[in-house]
Coordinates of all heavy atoms in Angstrom, one line a residue:
Q408 N 74.1 200.8 -144.6 CA 72.9 201.5 -144.9 C 72.8 202.7 -144.1 O 73.0 202.7 -142.8 CB 71.7 200.5 -144.6 CG 70.4 201.2 -144.9 CD 69.3 200.1 -144.8 OE1 69.5 199.0 -144.7 NE2 68.1 200.7 -144.6
K409 N 72.4 203.8 -144.7 CA 72.2 205.1 -144.0 C 71.0 205.0 -143.0 O 70.0 204.6 -143.4 CB 72.1 206.2 -145.0 CG 72.0 207.5 -144.4 CD 71.8 208.6 -145.5 CE 71.7 210.0 -144.8 NZ 71.4 211.0 -145.8
R410 N 71.2 205.5 -141.9 CA 70.1 205.5 -140.9 C 69.3 206.9 -141.1 O 69.8 207.9 -141.1 CB 70.6 205.5 -139.5 CG 69.5 205.5 -138.5 CD 70.1 205.3 -137.1 NE 69.0 205.6 -136.2 CZ 69.1 205.3 -134.9 NH1 70.1 204.8 -134.4 NH2 68.1 205.6 -134.1
H411 N 68.0 206.7 -141.3 CA 67.1 207.8 -141.5 C 66.5 208.1 -140.1 O 65.7 207.3 -139.6 CB 66.0 207.5 -142.5 CG 66.5 207.2 -143.8 ND1 66.8 208.1 -144.8 CD2 66.8 206.0 -144.3 CE1 67.2 207.5 -145.9 NE2 67.2 206.2 -145.6
E412 N 66.7 209.3 -139.6 CA 66.1 209.7 -138.3 C 65.1 210.9 -138.5 O 65.5 211.8 -139.3 CB 67.1 210.0 -137.3 CG 67.8 208.8 -136.8 CD 68.7 209.0 -135.6 OE1 68.6 210.0 -135.0 OE2 69.6 208.2 -135.4
A413 N 64.1 210.9 -137.8 CA 63.1 212.0 -137.9 C 63.6 213.1 -136.9 O 63.3 213.0 -135.7 CB 61.7 211.5 -137.5
Q414 N 64.3 214.0 -137.4 CA 64.8 215.1 -136.6 C 64.5 216.4 -137.3 O 64.6 216.6 -138.5 CB 66.3 215.0 -136.3 CG 66.7 213.8 -135.6 CD 68.2 213.6 -135.4 OE1 69.0 214.2 -136.2 NE2 68.6 212.8 -134.4
S415 N 64.2 217.4 -136.5 CA 64.0 218.7 -137.0 C 64.5 219.8 -135.9 O 64.8 219.3 -134.8 CB 62.6 219.0 -137.4 OG 61.8 219.0 -136.2
A416 N 64.5 221.0 -136.2 CA 65.0 222.0 -135.3 C 64.1 221.9 -134.0 O 62.9 221.9 -134.1 CB 64.8 223.4 -135.9
G417 N 64.8 221.8 -132.9 CA 64.1 221.8 -131.6 C 63.4 220.4 -131.3 O 62.7 220.3 -130.4
G418 N 63.6 219.4 -132.1 CA 63.0 218.1 -131.8 C 61.6 218.0 -132.1 O 60.9 217.2 -131.6
A419 N 61.0 219.0 -132.9 CA 59.6 219.0 -133.2 C 59.2 217.7 -134.0 O 60.0 217.1 -134.6 CB 59.2 220.2 -133.9
A420 N 57.9 217.5 -134.0 CA 57.4 216.3 -134.8 C 57.6 216.6 -136.3 O 57.6 217.7 -136.7 CB 55.9 216.2 -134.5
M421 N 57.8 215.5 -137.0 CA 58.1 215.6 -138.4 C 57.1 214.7 -139.1 O 56.5 213.8 -138.5 CB 59.5 215.1 -138.8 CG 60.6 216.0 -138.3 SD 62.2 215.5 -139.0 CE 61.9 215.5 -140.7
K422 N 57.0 214.9 -140.4 CA 56.1 214.1 -141.3 C 57.0 213.3 -142.2 O 58.1 213.7 -142.6 CB 55.2 215.0 -142.1 CG 54.4 216.0 -141.3 CD 53.3 215.3 -140.6 CE 52.4 216.4 -139.9 NZ 51.5 215.8 -139.0
A423 N 56.6 212.1 -142.6 CA 57.3 211.3 -143.5 C 56.3 210.5 -144.3 O 55.2 210.2 -143.8 CB 58.2 210.3 -142.8
T424 N 56.6 210.1 -145.5 CA 55.8 209.3 -146.4 C 56.6 208.1 -146.8 O 57.7 208.2 -147.2 CB 55.4 210.1 -147.7 OG1 54.7 211.3 -147.3 CG2 54.5 209.3 -148.5
V425 N 56.0 206.9 -146.6 CA 56.6 205.7 -147.0 C 55.7 205.1 -148.1 O 54.5 205.1 -148.1 CB 56.7 204.7 -145.8 CG1 57.1 203.3 -146.3 CG2 57.5 205.2 -144.7
E426 N 56.4 204.7 -149.2 CA 55.7 204.1 -150.3 C 56.1 202.6 -150.5 O 57.3 202.4 -150.4 CB 55.9 204.9 -151.6 CG 55.2 206.2 -151.5 CD 55.2 206.9 -152.9 OE1 55.6 206.4 -153.9 OE2 54.7 208.1 -152.9
L427 N 55.2 201.8 -150.7 CA 55.4 200.3 -150.9 C 55.0 199.8 -152.2 O 53.9 200.3 -152.7 CB 54.7 199.5 -149.8 CG 54.9 199.9 -148.3 CD1 54.1 199.1 -147.4 CD2 56.4 199.8 -147.9
D428 N 55.7 198.9 -152.8 CA 55.3 198.2 -154.0 C 54.7 196.8 -153.5 O 55.4 196.1 -152.7 CB 56.5 197.9 -155.0 CG 56.8 199.1 -155.8 OD1 55.9 199.9 -156.2 OD2 58.0 199.3 -156.1
I429 N 53.5 196.5 -154.0 CA 52.9 195.2 -153.6 C 52.4 194.5 -154.9 O 51.2 194.5 -155.3 CB 51.7 195.5 -152.7 CG1 52.2 196.5 -151.6 CG2 51.2 194.2 -152.0 CD1 51.0 197.0 -150.8
P430 N 53.3 193.8 -155.6 CA 53.0 193.1 -156.9 C 51.9 192.0 -156.8 O 51.2 191.8 -157.8 CB 54.3 192.5 -157.4 CG 55.4 193.1 -156.5 CD 54.7 193.6 -155.3
S431 N 51.8 191.4 -155.6 CA 50.8 190.3 -155.5 C 49.4 190.8 -155.2 O 48.5 189.9 -155.0 CB 51.3 189.3 -154.4 OG 51.5 190.0 -153.2
M432 N 49.2 192.1 -155.1 CA 47.9 192.6 -154.8 C 47.0 192.5 -156.0 O 47.5 192.8 -157.1 CB 48.1 194.1 -154.4 CG 47.0 194.8 -153.7 SD 47.8 196.4 -153.2 CE 46.3 197.4 -153.3
G433 N 45.7 192.1 -155.9 CA 45.0 191.9 -157.1 C 43.5 192.3 -157.1 O 42.8 192.2 -158.1
C434 N 43.0 192.7 -155.9 CA 41.5 193.0 -155.8 C 41.2 193.9 -154.7 O 42.1 194.3 -153.9 CB 40.7 191.7 -155.6 SG 41.1 190.8 -154.1
V435 N 40.0 194.3 -154.6 CA 39.5 195.3 -153.6 C 39.7 194.6 -152.2 O 40.0 195.4 -151.2 CB 38.0 195.7 -153.8 CG1 37.5 196.5 -152.7 CG2 37.9 196.4 -155.1
A436 N 39.4 193.3 -152.0 CA 39.6 192.7 -150.7 C 41.1 192.8 -150.3 O 41.4 193.0 -149.1 CB 39.2 191.2 -150.8
C437 N 42.0 192.8 -151.2 CA 43.5 193.0 -151.0 C 43.7 194.4 -150.4 O 44.4 194.6 -149.4 CB 44.3 192.8 -152.2 SG 44.3 191.1 -152.9
I438 N 43.1 195.4 -151.0 CA 43.2 196.7 -150.6 C 42.8 196.9 -149.1 O 43.5 197.5 -148.3 CB 42.4 197.7 -151.5 CG1 43.1 197.8 -152.9 CG2 42.3 199.1 -150.9 CD1 42.2 198.5 -153.9
N439 N 41.6 196.3 -148.9 CA 41.1 196.4 -147.5 C 41.9 195.8 -146.5 O 42.2 196.3 -145.4 CB 39.6 195.8 -147.5 CG 38.7 196.6 -148.3 OD1 38.8 197.8 -148.5 ND2 37.6 196.0 -148.7
K440 N 42.5 194.6 -146.8 CA 43.3 193.8 -145.9 C 44.6 194.6 -145.7 O 45.1 194.7 -144.5 CB 43.6 192.5 -146.5 CG 44.3 191.5 -145.5 CD 44.4 190.1 -146.1 CE 44.9 189.2 -145.1 NZ 45.0 187.8 -145.6
I441 N 45.2 195.1 -146.7 CA 46.5 195.9 -146.6 C 46.3 197.2 -145.7 O 47.0 197.5 -144.8 CB 47.1 196.2 -148.0 CG1 47.6 194.9 -148.6 CG2 48.2 197.2 -147.9 CD1 47.9 195.0 -150.1
D442 N 45.2 197.9 -146.1 CA 44.9 199.1 -145.3 C 44.8 198.9 -143.8 O 45.3 199.6 -143.0 CB 43.7 199.9 -145.9 CG 44.0 200.5 -147.2 OD1 45.1 200.5 -147.7 OD2 43.0 201.0 -147.8
S443 N 44.0 197.8 -143.5 CA 43.8 197.5 -142.1 C 45.0 197.0 -141.5 O 45.3 197.4 -140.3 CB 42.7 196.3 -142.1 OG 42.5 195.9 -140.8
S444 N 45.8 196.2 -142.1 CA 47.1 195.8 -141.5 C 48.1 196.9 -141.2 O 48.7 197.0 -140.2 CB 47.8 194.7 -142.5 OG 47.0 193.6 -142.6
L445 N 48.1 197.9 -142.2 CA 49.0 199.0 -142.0 C 48.5 199.9 -140.8 O 49.3 200.3 -140.0 CB 49.0 199.9 -143.3 CG 49.8 199.2 -144.4 CD1 49.6 200.0 -145.7 CD2 51.3 199.2 -144.1
R446 N 47.2 200.1 -140.7 CA 46.7 201.0 -139.6 C 46.9 200.4 -138.3 O 47.1 201.1 -137.3 CB 45.3 201.3 -139.9 CG 45.1 202.4 -140.9 CD 43.6 202.9 -140.9 NE 42.7 201.9 -141.4 CZ 42.3 201.7 -142.7 NH1 42.8 202.5 -143.6 NH2 41.5 200.8 -143.0
Q447 N 46.9 199.0 -138.2 CA 47.0 198.4 -136.9 C 48.5 198.2 -136.4 O 48.8 198.1 -135.3 CB 46.4 197.0 -137.0 CG 44.9 197.0 -137.1 CD 44.3 195.7 -137.3 OE1 45.0 194.6 -137.1 NE2 43.1 195.6 -137.6
C448 N 49.5 198.3 -137.3 CA 50.9 198.0 -136.9 C 51.5 199.2 -136.2 O 52.4 198.9 -135.4 CB 51.7 197.6 -138.1 SG 52.1 198.9 -139.3
A449 N 51.1 200.4 -136.4 CA 51.7 201.5 -135.7 C 50.7 202.7 -135.6 O 51.0 203.7 -136.2 CB 53.0 202.0 -136.3
P450 N 49.6 202.4 -135.0 CA 48.5 203.4 -135.0 C 48.8 204.8 -134.5 O 48.3 205.8 -135.0 CB 47.3 202.8 -134.2 CG 48.0 201.8 -133.4 CD 49.2 201.3 -134.1
E451 N 49.7 204.9 -133.6 CA 50.1 206.2 -133.0 C 51.0 207.0 -133.9 O 51.2 208.2 -133.7 CB 50.8 206.0 -131.6 CG 52.2 205.3 -131.7 CD 52.2 203.8 -132.0 OE1 51.2 203.2 -132.0 OE2 53.3 203.3 -132.1
K452 N 51.6 206.4 -134.9 CA 52.5 207.0 -135.9 C 51.8 207.3 -137.2 O 52.3 208.1 -137.9 CB 53.7 206.2 -136.1 CG 54.5 205.8 -134.9 CD 55.2 207.0 -134.3 CE 55.9 206.6 -133.0 NZ 56.3 207.7 -132.2
I453 N 50.8 206.5 -137.6 CA 50.2 206.6 -138.9 C 49.0 207.6 -138.9 O 48.1 207.5 -138.2 CB 49.7 205.3 -139.4 CG1 50.8 204.3 -139.5 CG2 48.9 205.3 -140.7 CD1 50.5 202.9 -139.9
E454 N 49.2 208.6 -139.8 CA 48.1 209.6 -140.0 C 47.2 209.1 -141.1 O 46.0 209.3 -141.0 CB 48.7 210.9 -140.5 CG 49.4 211.7 -139.4 CD 49.8 213.1 -139.7 OE1 49.5 213.5 -140.9 OE2 50.4 213.7 -138.9
E455 N 47.7 208.5 -142.1 CA 46.9 207.9 -143.2 C 47.6 206.7 -143.9 O 48.8 206.8 -144.1 CB 46.6 209.0 -144.2 CG 45.7 208.4 -145.3 CD 45.3 209.5 -146.4 OE1 45.9 210.6 -146.4 OE2 44.4 209.2 -147.2
A456 N 46.9 205.7 -144.1 CA 47.4 204.5 -144.9 C 46.4 204.2 -146.0 O 45.3 204.0 -145.7 CB 47.6 203.3 -144.0
K457 N 47.0 204.2 -147.2 CA 46.1 204.0 -148.4 C 46.8 203.2 -149.4 O 48.0 203.4 -149.7 CB 45.8 205.4 -149.0 CG 44.7 205.4 -150.1 CD 44.4 206.8 -150.5 CE 43.3 206.8 -151.5 NZ 42.9 208.1 -151.8
S458 N 46.1 202.2 -149.9 CA 46.7 201.3 -151.0 C 45.7 201.3 -152.2 O 44.5 201.7 -152.1 CB 46.9 199.9 -150.5 OG 45.7 199.3 -150.0
W459 N 46.3 201.0 -153.3 CA 45.5 201.0 -154.5 C 46.1 200.0 -155.5 O 47.2 199.7 -155.4 CB 45.4 202.4 -155.1 CG 46.7 202.9 -155.6 CD1 47.3 202.8 -156.8 CD2 47.7 203.6 -154.8 NE1 48.5 203.5 -156.8 CE2 48.8 203.9 -155.6 CE3 47.7 204.0 -153.4 CZ2 49.9 204.6 -155.1 CZ3 48.9 204.7 -153.0 CH2 49.9 205.0 -153.8
L460 N 45.3 199.6 -156.5 CA 45.7 198.8 -157.6 C 46.2 199.6 -158.7 O 45.7 200.7 -159.1 CB 44.5 197.9 -158.1 CG 44.0 196.9 -157.1 CD1 42.7 196.3 -157.7 CD2 45.0 195.8 -156.9
E461 N 47.3 199.1 -159.3 CA 47.9 199.8 -160.5 C 46.9 199.6 -161.7 O 46.4 198.5 -161.9 CB 49.2 199.2 -160.9 CG 50.3 199.7 -159.9 CD 50.6 201.2 -160.0 OE1 51.1 201.6 -161.0 OE2 50.3 201.8 -159.0
K462 N 46.7 200.6 -162.5 CA 45.8 200.5 -163.7 C 46.5 200.2 -165.0 O 45.9 200.0 -166.0 CB 45.0 201.8 -163.8 CG 44.1 201.9 -162.6 CD 43.3 203.2 -162.7 CE 42.5 203.3 -161.4 NZ 41.6 204.4 -161.5
S463 N 47.8 200.1 -164.9 CA 48.6 199.9 -166.1 C 48.5 198.5 -166.6 O 48.6 197.5 -165.8 CB 50.1 200.3 -165.9 OG 50.9 199.9 -166.9
E464 N 48.5 198.2 -167.9 CA 48.5 196.9 -168.5 C 49.9 196.2 -168.3 O 50.0 195.0 -168.2 CB 48.2 197.0 -170.0 CG 46.8 197.4 -170.3 CD 45.8 196.3 -169.9 OE1 46.2 195.1 -170.1 OE2 44.7 196.6 -169.5
T465 N 50.9 197.0 -168.2 CA 52.3 196.5 -168.0 C 52.7 196.3 -166.6 O 53.7 195.7 -166.3 CB 53.3 197.4 -168.7 OG1 53.3 198.7 -168.1 CG2 53.0 197.5 -170.2
C466 N 51.9 196.8 -165.6 CA 52.3 196.7 -164.2 C 51.2 196.0 -163.5 O 50.0 196.4 -163.5 CB 52.5 198.1 -163.7 SG 53.1 198.1 -162.0
K467 N 51.5 194.9 -162.8 CA 50.5 194.2 -162.0 C 50.7 194.6 -160.6 O 51.7 195.1 -160.1 CB 50.8 192.7 -162.1 CG 50.4 192.1 -163.4 CD 50.5 190.6 -163.3 CE 49.7 189.9 -164.5 NZ 49.6 188.5 -164.3
G468 N 49.6 194.3 -159.8 CA 49.7 194.5 -158.4 C 49.3 195.9 -158.0 O 48.4 196.5 -158.7
G469 N 49.8 196.4 -156.9 CA 49.4 197.7 -156.4 C 50.5 198.4 -155.6 O 51.6 197.9 -155.5
K470 N 50.1 199.4 -155.0 CA 51.0 200.3 -154.1 C 50.3 200.7 -152.9 O 49.1 200.6 -152.8 CB 51.5 201.4 -154.9 CG 52.2 201.1 -156.2 CD 53.2 202.1 -156.7 CE 53.8 201.8 -158.0 NZ 54.6 200.7 -158.0
A471 N 51.1 201.1 -151.9 CA 50.6 201.7 -150.7 C 51.4 202.9 -150.3 O 52.6 203.0 -150.6 CB 50.6 200.7 -149.5
R472 N 50.7 203.9 -149.8 CA 51.4 205.1 -149.3 C 50.9 205.4 -147.9 O 49.7 205.4 -147.6 CB 51.0 206.3 -150.2 CG 51.6 207.7 -149.7 CD 51.3 208.8 -150.6 NE 51.9 208.6 -151.9 CZ 51.2 208.6 -153.0 NH1 49.9 208.8 -153.0 NH2 51.8 208.4 -154.2
I473 N 51.9 205.5 -147.0 CA 51.6 205.7 -145.6 C 52.2 207.0 -145.2 O 53.4 207.3 -145.3 CB 52.2 204.6 -144.8 CG1 51.7 203.2 -145.3 CG2 51.9 204.7 -143.3 CD1 52.7 202.5 -146.2
E474 N 51.3 207.9 -144.6 CA 51.7 209.2 -144.1 C 52.0 209.0 -142.6 O 51.1 208.6 -141.9 CB 50.7 210.2 -144.3 CG 50.2 210.4 -145.8 CD 51.3 211.1 -146.6 OE1 52.1 211.9 -146.0 OE2 51.3 210.9 -147.8
L475 N 53.2 209.4 -142.1 CA 53.6 209.2 -140.7 C 53.8 210.5 -140.0 O 54.2 211.5 -140.7 CB 54.9 208.4 -140.7 CG 54.9 207.0 -141.3 CD1 56.3 206.5 -141.4 CD2 54.0 206.1 -140.5
S476 N 53.5 210.5 -138.8 CA 53.8 211.7 -137.9 C 54.8 211.1 -136.9 O 54.6 210.2 -136.2 CB 52.6 212.2 -137.2 OG 52.9 213.3 -136.4
L477 N 56.0 211.7 -136.9 CA 57.1 211.1 -136.2 C 57.7 212.1 -135.1 O 57.7 213.3 -135.3 CB 58.3 210.8 -137.1 CG 57.9 209.9 -138.3 CD1 59.0 209.8 -139.3 CD2 57.6 208.5 -137.8
S478 N 58.2 211.5 -134.1 CA 59.0 212.3 -133.1 C 60.5 212.3 -133.4 O 60.9 211.5 -134.2 CB 58.7 211.8 -131.6 OG 59.4 210.5 -131.5
A479 N 61.2 213.1 -132.7 CA 62.7 213.1 -133.0 C 63.3 211.8 -132.6 O 64.4 211.5 -133.1 CB 63.3 214.3 -132.2
D480 N 62.7 211.0 -131.8 CA 63.3 209.7 -131.4 C 63.0 208.5 -132.4 O 63.6 207.5 -132.3 CB 62.7 209.3 -130.0 CG 63.2 210.2 -128.9 OD1 64.3 210.8 -129.1 OD2 62.4 210.4 -128.0
D481 N 62.1 208.8 -133.3 CA 61.7 207.7 -134.3 C 62.8 207.5 -135.4 O 63.3 208.5 -135.9 CB 60.4 208.0 -134.9 CG 59.2 207.9 -134.0 OD1 59.3 207.0 -133.1 OD2 58.3 208.8 -134.0
D482 N 63.1 206.3 -135.7 CA 63.9 205.9 -136.8 C 63.0 205.5 -138.0 O 62.3 204.5 -137.9 CB 64.8 204.7 -136.4 CG 65.7 204.2 -137.4 OD1 65.8 204.8 -138.5 OD2 66.5 203.3 -137.2
I483 N 63.1 206.3 -139.0 CA 62.2 206.1 -140.1 C 62.4 204.8 -140.8 O 61.4 204.1 -141.2 CB 62.3 207.3 -141.2 CG1 61.9 208.6 -140.5 CG2 61.5 207.0 -142.4 CD1 62.2 209.8 -141.4
A484 N 63.6 204.4 -140.9 CA 63.9 203.1 -141.6 C 63.3 201.9 -140.8 O 62.8 201.0 -141.4 CB 65.4 202.9 -141.8
T485 N 63.4 202.0 -139.5 CA 62.8 200.9 -138.6 C 61.3 200.9 -138.8 O 60.7 199.8 -139.0 CB 63.2 201.1 -137.2 OG1 64.6 201.1 -137.0 CG2 62.6 200.1 -136.3
L486 N 60.6 202.1 -138.8 CA 59.2 202.1 -139.0 C 58.8 201.6 -140.4 O 57.8 200.9 -140.6 CB 58.7 203.5 -138.8 CG 58.6 204.0 -137.4 CD1 58.3 205.5 -137.3 CD2 57.6 203.2 -136.6
A487 N 59.6 201.9 -141.4 CA 59.3 201.4 -142.8 C 59.4 199.9 -142.8 O 58.6 199.2 -143.4 CB 60.3 202.0 -143.8
D488 N 60.4 199.3 -142.1 CA 60.5 197.8 -142.0 C 59.3 197.3 -141.3 O 58.8 196.2 -141.7 CB 61.8 197.4 -141.2 CG 63.0 197.6 -142.0 OD1 63.0 197.7 -143.3 OD2 64.1 197.6 -141.4
I489 N 58.8 197.9 -140.3 CA 57.6 197.5 -139.6 C 56.4 197.5 -140.5 O 55.6 196.5 -140.6 CB 57.3 198.3 -138.4 CG1 58.3 198.1 -137.3 CG2 55.9 198.1 -137.8 CD1 58.3 199.1 -136.1
L490 N 56.3 198.5 -141.4 CA 55.2 198.6 -142.4 C 55.3 197.5 -143.4 O 54.3 196.8 -143.7 CB 55.2 200.0 -143.0 CG 54.9 201.2 -142.1 CD1 55.2 202.5 -142.8 CD2 53.5 201.1 -141.5
V491 N 56.5 197.3 -143.9 CA 56.7 196.2 -144.9 C 56.3 194.9 -144.3 O 55.6 194.0 -144.9 CB 58.1 196.2 -145.5 CG1 58.4 195.0 -146.3 CG2 58.3 197.5 -146.3
N492 N 56.8 194.6 -143.1 CA 56.5 193.3 -142.5 C 55.1 193.1 -142.2 O 54.6 192.0 -142.2 CB 57.4 193.2 -141.2 CG 58.9 193.0 -141.6 OD1 59.2 192.4 -142.6 ND2 59.7 193.4 -140.7
A493 N 54.3 194.2 -141.9 CA 52.9 194.1 -141.6 C 52.2 193.6 -142.9 O 51.3 192.8 -142.8 CB 52.3 195.4 -141.1
V494 N 52.6 194.2 -144.0 CA 51.9 193.8 -145.3 C 52.3 192.4 -145.6 O 51.5 191.6 -146.1 CB 52.3 194.8 -146.4 CG1 51.8 194.3 -147.7 CG2 51.8 196.2 -146.1
R495 N 53.6 192.0 -145.4 CA 54.0 190.6 -145.7 C 53.2 189.6 -144.8 O 52.8 188.6 -145.2 CB 55.5 190.5 -145.5 CG 56.3 191.2 -146.6 CD 57.8 191.1 -146.3 NE 58.5 191.6 -147.4 CZ 59.8 191.9 -147.4 NH1 60.5 191.7 -146.3 NH2 60.4 192.5 -148.4
A496 N 53.0 190.0 -143.5 CA 52.3 189.1 -142.6 C 50.9 189.0 -143.0 O 50.2 188.0 -142.6 CB 52.4 189.7 -141.2
A497 N 50.3 190.0 -143.7 CA 48.9 189.9 -144.2 C 48.8 189.0 -145.4 O 47.7 188.8 -145.9 CB 48.4 191.3 -144.5
G498 N 49.9 188.4 -145.9 CA 49.9 187.5 -147.0 C 50.4 188.0 -148.3 O 50.3 187.3 -149.3
F499 N 51.1 189.1 -148.3 CA 51.6 189.7 -149.5 C 53.2 189.7 -149.4 O 53.8 190.7 -149.2 CB 51.1 191.1 -149.7 CG 49.6 191.2 -149.7 CD1 48.8 191.3 -148.6 CD2 49.0 191.0 -150.9 CE1 47.4 191.3 -148.7 CE2 47.6 191.0 -151.0 CZ 46.8 191.1 -149.9
D500 N 53.7 188.5 -149.5 CA 55.2 188.3 -149.3 C 56.1 189.1 -150.2 O 57.2 189.3 -149.9 CB 55.5 186.8 -149.5 CG 54.8 186.0 -148.4 OD1 54.4 186.5 -147.4 OD2 54.7 184.7 -148.7
T501 N 55.5 189.5 -151.4 CA 56.4 190.2 -152.4 C 56.4 191.7 -152.1 O 57.0 192.5 -152.9 CB 55.9 190.0 -153.8 OG1 54.5 190.4 -153.8 CG2 56.0 188.5 -154.1
C502 N 55.9 192.2 -151.0 CA 55.9 193.6 -150.7 C 57.3 194.1 -150.5 O 58.1 193.5 -149.8 CB 55.1 193.9 -149.4 SG 55.1 195.6 -148.9
T503 N 57.6 195.2 -151.1 CA 59.0 195.9 -150.9 C 58.8 197.4 -150.7 O 57.8 198.0 -151.1 CB 59.8 195.6 -152.2 OG1 59.2 196.2 -153.3 CG2 60.2 194.2 -152.4
L504 N 59.8 197.9 -150.1 CA 59.9 199.4 -149.8 C 60.3 200.0 -151.1 O 61.3 199.7 -151.7 CB 60.9 199.6 -148.7 CG 61.2 201.1 -148.4 CD1 59.9 201.7 -147.8 CD2 62.3 201.2 -147.5
K505 N 59.4 201.0 -151.5 CA 59.7 201.8 -152.8 C 60.5 203.1 -152.4 O 61.5 203.4 -153.0 CB 58.4 202.1 -153.5 CG 58.7 202.9 -154.8 CD 57.4 203.2 -155.5 CE 57.7 204.0 -156.7 NZ 56.4 204.4 -157.4
S506 N 60.0 203.8 -151.4 CA 60.7 205.0 -151.1 C 60.3 205.5 -149.6 O 59.3 205.1 -149.1 CB 60.3 206.1 -152.0 OG 59.0 206.5 -152.0
I507 N 61.2 206.3 -149.1 CA 61.0 207.0 -147.8 C 61.3 208.5 -148.1 O 62.3 208.8 -148.5 CB 61.9 206.5 -146.7 CG1 61.7 205.1 -146.4 CG2 61.7 207.4 -145.4 CD1 62.7 204.5 -145.5
N508 N 60.3 209.3 -147.8 CA 60.5 210.8 -147.9 C 60.1 211.5 -146.6 O 59.0 211.3 -146.1 CB 59.6 211.4 -149.1 CG 60.0 210.8 -150.4 OD1 61.2 210.8 -150.8 ND2 59.1 210.2 -151.1
S509 N 61.0 212.2 -146.1 CA 60.7 213.0 -144.8 C 60.7 214.5 -145.1 O 61.4 215.0 -146.0 CB 61.7 212.7 -143.8 OG 63.0 213.0 -144.2
V510 N 59.8 215.2 -144.4 CA 59.7 216.6 -144.6 C 60.1 217.3 -143.3 O 59.7 216.9 -142.2 CB 58.2 217.0 -144.9 CG1 58.0 218.4 -145.2 CG2 57.7 216.2 -146.1

């Protein structure tokens, strides 16, 4: 597996977005629980954590998008695993990583 590192010219801070699929999510209470769990797992790295329910008839559950502020020493893949595990620990065992995008 390719290691994703947050690096930029001169080691400046970078931004990254992690998206999660959460098929077992089903209500507003789920959104609140997920958002809270995400913000608590790496508060110094998370700029924004937001989850929502899918509105499609063919797609159940929801998604989460987490905006991160990273230093050159941060491993994005490791942070993404921490985020997925935080959602799973909140009771959403089917949570999976959808994507990682760094800027």
